[in-house]
Each structure stands twice: as structure tokens, then as C-alpha cells.
Amino acid sequence: MVWLFVGAIFTLSIGVLTSCPLYWTPYEEYCYVIPQVAQSWESATAFCMIHGAYLAEISTPEENDFLAQLVKQNHPPEAQIWIGGTDALSEGHWIWSRSEETFQYQHWDSGEPSNSGGGEHCATVRTSGKWNDSPCSEKLHGICVKRQRTEPGVGR
Ligand SMILES: [Ca+2]
């Protein structure tokens, strides 16, 4: 019993040595992952939340380039991946769902956002790194992001 306890402590202390959990990729002060589940934008959002994360909100070209690389490496069957942008509240007014901030940096593909059929209210990033709007009910993979753990004594 005592050894089980000691073992648990040891495992925990090993855990804090890495800044991102297993399967998450570090970039700047954040950790990113593309879960192996294709799902609606709402479900993808909820899935990220279960893991203490949220759908990616992109604010710089460098971050966008990193995410495009991540999408290519993971190579999901879809040509696009959910990010955290939506205009479901007000057509044409794109916000990041977690921060509720309007898009500052934008990287839409040519002709996008198209709102095809009047039903495309959730944002994706394509393998090209360009953005598209898709129906929120479409089953796609998403990019979850969360802050890296900052444990005292673990230098970066
Ligand atoms: Ca579109």
C-alpha cells in the first residue's frame, strides 16, 4: 500500500517535468493536439473542454503556419480541421468562441468565408493553412489548445 502511494507520487513528479501532456505538441506557451475523433464543431469544442482545452484561436501568421504543419503531419482524412471561430451569433461577424473576441488576424482562403447555402457558420483551417467556413454539423477533426503547465522549478 505504501509503495503504491510512493509510486503514485513518483509518477506525478515525473509528469511535471514535461510542459505538455503526452500526445500534445508544444508551441510557444501552448500545447496542441488533433484528437482522433471526427465530430461536429460543437462536439469538438466540448471534447477539447473535457481535456482542459479549447478549439484553437489563431492570432498570428506564425501560429497559423505551425497549425498548418500540424495538420499536414497528422494527416486526417479531411482536408480541413475545426478551429474556434464562429459567426453563428451574427452572420459575417466572426468571433473566437472562447475569448469572444472578433478576429484580428485573418487568413481566409480566396472566396471564403462563402456561407454556402446560408449554412456555414464554423471556421476551419485547410492543409494549405487558409481558412474556410463550413456547416457546424460537419464531422471533422479539430485542433485543441491549452496553456503549457508552468511548474515552479521546471525551467524553460
Ligand atoms: Ca465556405
Side-chain angles (χ1 to χ4, degrees):
M1 198 61 173
V2 170
W3 284 112
L4 277 177
F5 179 72
V6 170
I9 296 293
F10 182 71
T11 304
L12 284 173
S13 64
I14 291 294
V16 298
L17 294 178
T18 55
S19 300
C20 287
L22 191 61
Y23 308 123
W24 294 67
T25 303
Y27 176 76
E28 301 288 327
E29 66 265 40
Y30 295 94
C31 307
Y32 296 81
V33 74
I34 299 177
Q36 301 297 302
V37 190
Q39 50 197 344
S40 71
W41 185 88
E42 288 88 350
S43 294
T45 299
F47 192 97
C48 291
M49 285 179 67
I50 289 169
H51 293 275
Y54 53 95
L55 280 179
E57 305 191 346
I58 306 170
S59 53
T60 67
E62 293 76 19
E63 186 181 12
N64 199 71
D65 288 347
F66 165 76
L67 288 179
Q69 282 303 118
L70 195 66
V71 170
K72 282 178 192 156
Q73 286 164 13
N74 282 267
H75 211 281
E78 308 89 21
Q80 56 181 356
I81 300 279
W82 291 128
I83 53 178
T86 178
D87 75 339
L89 295 182
S90 174
E91 174 52 36
H93 296 109
W94 287 88
I95 61 167
W96 297 113
S97 64
R98 179 175 185 263
S99 64
E100 299 184 303
E101 287 172 1
T102 55
F103 285 12
Q104 301 298 318
Y105 168 74
Q106 303 183 43
H107 200 54
W108 295 109
D109 213 338
S110 62
E112 305 297 348
S114 59
N115 194 29
S116 291
E120 299 192 326
H121 304 306
C122 289
T124 69
V125 58
R126 291 174 164 157
T127 49
S128 63
K130 298 289 182 67
W131 302 358
N132 173 44
D133 58 343
S134 271
C136 301
S137 59
E138 198 171 343
K139 300 277 196 294
L140 298 174
H141 291 75
I143 303 174
C144 297
V145 58
K146 61 181 172 182
R147 276 193 175 275
Q148 288 196 28
R149 283 178 294 213
T150 50
E151 297 292 335
V154 179
R156 290 186 57 216

